[in-house]
Amino acid sequence: MGKKIVIVQGHPDGDPNRLCRALAGAYAQGAAAAGHDVSRIDLAAIDFPLLKTQGEFTGGDMPAALKPAWEAILAANHIVIVFPLWLGTMPALLKAFLEQVMRPHFAYDYSKTGGWPKQRLKGRSARLVVTMGMPAMLYRLFYLSHGVAGLRRGILNFVGIRPVRTTLIGMVEAAGGARRAAWLERMRRLGAAAL
């Protein structure tokens, strides 16, 4: 029996020629061909407000535009988030989306005794697919993948999502057709395996 997979396209640019879009598409193709149930969330196509106050974050309602995305996340066994590295971390649009859907009463609940919050998204795994202009090894070793590590530990693990696996794809501007084809094939294989 296949998994329920949701793919979050976190590139703010809706241009269909973006590498992030091709990577997400290849993952979806591989997953669907292997019998997994795939749904997709394209953040560039959703208009939603930013959270601006603590009251909105802790007690506000989910914006109507994000309810289908939230329902897809709840239904999923596996979440794939694809995004470009901007200033060492995720683009602001993806962060704004995560602030909306991974907040109290949705993704976790504060403990009444002051202990660790109740994680409401346990039982789900994730894959982060991150493109960047620099060599991926440099981001790993020199920058310690700090932006990706913060997303993994501070958001996804915090709400119960684990394991969180990461695919870093570097030097994307300099890549030729053969290298791009290899990345897409890798995404198809990961999608087929639901990893």
Side-chain angles (χ1 to χ4, degrees):
M1 183 177 200
K3 285 189 175 179
K4 285 183 151 282
I5 300 171
V6 62
I7 301 173
V8 179
Q9 176 53 256
H11 201 306
D13 187 346
D15 183 345
N17 296 313
R18 292 282 173 213
L19 177 60
C20 284
R21 295 185 176 282
L23 294 168
Y27 191 102
Q29 289 169 354
H36 302 294
D37 181 3
V38 181
S39 62
R40 298 172 78 165
I41 299 167
D42 184 353
L43 299 188
I46 306 172
D47 185 23
F48 61 92
L50 300 176
L51 291 172
K52 295 182 180 177
T53 68
Q54 182 180 5
E56 289 175 334
F57 179 72
T58 58
D61 292 329
M62 177 80 62
L66 292 178
K67 285 184 180 173
W70 174 242
E71 289 166 4
I73 289 169
L74 280 181
N77 309 107
H78 185 60
I79 302 164
V80 179
I81 305 174
V82 183
F83 62 94
L85 192 73
W86 286 5
L87 296 177
T89 190
M90 70 190 97
L93 183 65
L94 177 55
K95 178 69 162 54
F97 170 77
L98 292 171
E99 286 175 357
Q100 285 282 11
V101 300
M102 299 294 181
R103 60 185 161 131
H105 313 300
F106 294 100
Y108 68 96
D109 286 313
Y110 289 114
S111 170
K112 293 181 176 141
T113 61
W116 192 258
K118 178 184 176 187
Q119 300 171 321
R120 299 184 73 186
L121 295 179
K122 279 186 175 180
R124 292 164 183 81
S125 59
R127 160 93 37 201
L128 304 176
V129 179
V130 187
T131 63
M132 62 193 71
M134 74 175 84
M137 190 65 73
L138 178 65
Y139 185 65
R140 271 193 199 98
L141 298 179
F142 185 77
Y143 293 102
L144 304 177
S145 301
H146 72 280
V148 173
L151 170 55
R152 184 182 65 249
R153 288 192 307 261
I155 300 175
L156 301 177
N157 289 167
F158 182 74
V159 299
I161 300 170
R162 58 175 52 88
V164 177
R165 298 174 181 92
T166 304
T167 300
L168 301 179
I169 299 175
M171 302 294 289
V172 297
E173 286 88 5
R179 197 162 175 207
R180 183 180 170 110
W183 292 333
L184 297 178
E185 182 53 33
R186 182 178 181 196
M187 287 298 107
R188 285 186 199 95
R189 287 195 310 269
L190 288 171
L195 290 174

